[in-house]
Amino acid sequence: MYEEHNKLVDAINMVSVAYHTEEFALLREELEAIYLNAGEGEPTKTAFRDALYAIICEQDG
């Protein structure tokens, strides 16, 4: 259980760090505009998810 807790804390920390970067905000806005123009069903939610994924992958190396 302690190991699961540590994994969750690590994940929360990664999200927190990624969320507060200027790069995340810019990428999310850009993706949201693209998804909106493409008729994506949930452009805000999808852009947030995709930008967060990209930033975390970039940080994780």
Side-chain angles (χ1 to χ4, degrees), residues 4-53:
E4 290 178 22
H5 169 77
N6 286 340
K7 286 182 182 181
L8 183 56
V9 169
D10 288 345
I12 291 168
N13 287 335
M14 281 193 301
V15 169
S16 179
V17 168
Y19 179 80
H20 291 289
T21 64
E22 183 178 346
E23 184 180 13
F24 170 78
L26 294 173
L27 181 57
R28 184 190 51 77
E29 289 173 7
E30 181 179 348
L31 288 173
E32 188 172 343
I34 290 169
Y35 296 160
L36 187 61
N37 288 333
E40 171 69 38
E42 296 181 308
T44 302
K45 183 178 179 179
T46 305
F48 180 90
R49 182 196 63 217
D50 290 352
L52 186 60
Y53 179 82

